[in-house]
Amino acid sequence: AKNAGRNTQRFYDPTMQAALEARAALETDLRLAIKKNQFRLYYQMQVDHSGNVHGAEALIRWQHPQKGLVPPLQFIPLTEETGLIIPIGHWVMETACAQIKRWESDPATRDLQVAVNVSACQFHDSSFVERVIEMLSRHKIKPGNLKLELTESLVLDNVEEAIMKMQALKSYGVLFSMDDFGTGFSSLSYLTKLPLDQLKIDQSFIRNMCMNNRDAVVVQTIIGMANNLGIEVIAEGVESETQREFLEQNKCNLCQGYLFSQPLPVDAFENKLRQMHTY
Ligand code: C2E
Ligand code: CA
Ligand code: CA
Ligand code: CA
């Protein structure tokens, strides 16, 4: 009865009605966006403490004809609810693989590891492993140049499935990073079971670690654990030199954040790399 009451009320609530209409409009727009090729991949560099660029994270944007550049948090959640993330995820992976191939012919970009965000629906799809392998072989890229970013919750949905799928791709040489690490409130026991290459410390810890001792301790603990497990560790959301120094002192391998660069379109990313690269 409680539920029925709530449902009935929905139709008489003008705010809710407007929200539903906005959502439906966004969904229609997103279907069109796929057809019209309105998505873009931006790349944000990942650097070590000597300033060498090791890789880049591919981050999607929507080039909307009226709204301009729409950030992913404004549309990715809806694409996950509607299943549109499957075709969009394919586009992301396809575009990233094509980019890796192009970068392989230039010494400045040849060894870049390109990290791609994988959403839960995409990963749980029964043809996920097959699709990734198909793309790797069609584009003829070095599998070690592709890194898949997974979240803890995605893995914990079904740990056995995650292990199987990761191992299958791992045997081809694909790399894995655990994104937003530390935010999942999850048991650490899965860490030893998963074939992970990298832990990515969530930016919420990085943001406050130089002001808040508890965040500092969490960051130090994650870095220490990764180092002891022999897994690479990267900090995201690094915005200040103070933060970078703290991370260097505590032996965090890599940094990503506005201190080095914003996510950039391919051309701007390549220009920035050339500026940094001394030939
Ligand atoms: P994420 O994977 O945690 O990505 C990091 C976010 O932090 C990015 O936001 C990036 O632009 C932002 N960022 C980078 N450096 C800094 C910094 O120094 N300070 C601050 N405050 N932020 C920084 P963005 O690009 O808006 O992406 C947001 C989220 O959308 C991503 O979070 C990811 O969960 C999702 N996303 C982005 N691209 C894709 C994609 O291709 N597929 C899927 N499934 N999700 C994606
Ligand atoms: Ca990510
Ligand atoms: Ca992240
Ligand atoms: Ca995040």
Side-chain angles (χ1 to χ4, degrees):
K2 227 180 178 181
N3 276 337
R6 231 186 259 148
N7 279 334
T8 325
Q9 201 183 359
R10 180 184 290 174
F11 296 100
Y12 297 100
D13 182 339
T15 333
M16 183 68 91
Q17 187 65 36
L20 285 172
E21 276 164 16
R23 208 186 116 104
L26 181 59
E27 192 181 336
T28 309
D29 245 21
L30 277 165
R31 288 184 192 281
L32 213 63
I34 299 173
K35 282 200 196 125
K36 294 193 165 176
N37 211 3
Q38 291 171 352
F39 296 108
R40 304 285 178 268
L41 271 193
Y42 276 43
Y43 295 88
Q44 187 178 34
M45 56 181 62
Q46 303 177 328
V47 300
D48 68 18
H49 296 288
S50 318
N52 298 316
V53 181
H54 281 235
E57 180 177 14
L59 295 155
I60 197 171
R61 272 97 184 90
W62 177 10
Q63 186 64 61
H64 190 283
Q66 283 86 43
K67 296 182 203 161
L69 207 60
V70 184
L73 293 178
Q74 286 178 29
F75 65 92
I76 288 291
L78 184 65
T79 68
E80 284 170 339
E81 284 174 47
T82 53
L84 285 171
I85 191 64
I86 300 286
I88 294 172
H90 290 158
W91 178 86
V92 169
M93 193 84 80
E94 189 70 43
T95 307
C97 287
Q99 191 58 61
I100 290 171
K101 189 70 219 168
R102 266 178 253 122
W103 279 343
E104 277 180 4
S105 58
D106 183 335
T109 49
R110 185 162 52 207
D111 299 318
L112 287 179
Q113 294 179 353
V114 177
V116 170
N117 291 283
V118 176
S119 84
C121 336
Q122 227 184 321
F123 185 81
H124 296 316
D125 191 292
S126 61
S127 53
F128 178 72
V129 171
E130 248 176 275
R131 260 182 198 284
V132 175
I133 294 170
E134 188 275 326
M135 285 193 205
L136 289 173
S137 53
R138 182 160 39 79
H139 288 279
K140 298 191 177 65
I141 59 172
K142 276 190 271 172
N145 281 347
L146 178 67
K147 184 179 282 166
L148 301 180
E149 293 199 0
L150 309 180
T151 59
E152 287 174 283
S153 65
L154 172 160
V155 165
L156 293 171
D157 287 341
N158 186 339
V159 179
E160 295 312 311
E161 177 207 19
I163 294 173
M164 296 253 290
K165 290 187 172 180
M166 288 171 77
Q167 274 171 352
L169 289 170
K170 187 86 233 171
S171 70
Y172 279 82
V174 174
L175 304 172
F176 287 95
S177 179
M178 186 58 77
D179 202 358
D180 301 340
F181 189 74
T183 57
F185 298 104
S186 53
S187 133
L188 294 176
S189 63
Y190 74 84
L191 270 184
T192 57
K193 298 186 192 143
L194 300 173
L196 283 170
D197 301 281
Q198 184 185 73
L199 292 186
K200 193 177 229 190
I201 310 171
D202 192 66
Q203 58 187 65
S204 59
F205 300 113
I206 306 302
R207 192 176 305 130
N208 300 317
M209 71 184 176
C210 295
M211 286 97 74
N212 181 329
N213 190 247
R214 286 168 179 268
D215 286 308
V217 170
V218 170
V219 170
Q220 286 167 321
T221 305
I222 296 174
I223 296 171
M225 189 173 64
N227 286 336
N228 288 327
L229 287 169
I231 300 174
E232 184 178 74
V233 57
I234 181 167
E236 69 176 4
V238 180
E239 295 182 353
S240 73
E241 178 57 23
T242 316
Q243 291 170 334
R244 192 203 63 75
E245 253 167 39
F246 178 90
L247 291 161
E248 181 174 20
Q249 274 159 14
N250 286 285
K251 308 222 157 15
C252 180
N253 306 116
L254 300 174
C255 293
Q256 178 182 343
Y258 299 158
L259 175 63
F260 308 96
S261 172
Q262 303 247 334
L264 299 170
V266 185
D267 290 359
F269 178 84
E270 289 174 348
N271 286 337
K272 182 125 193 158
L273 267 191
R274 279 187 207 105
Q275 281 168 24
M276 295 170 75
H277 210 88
T278 39
Y279 291 98

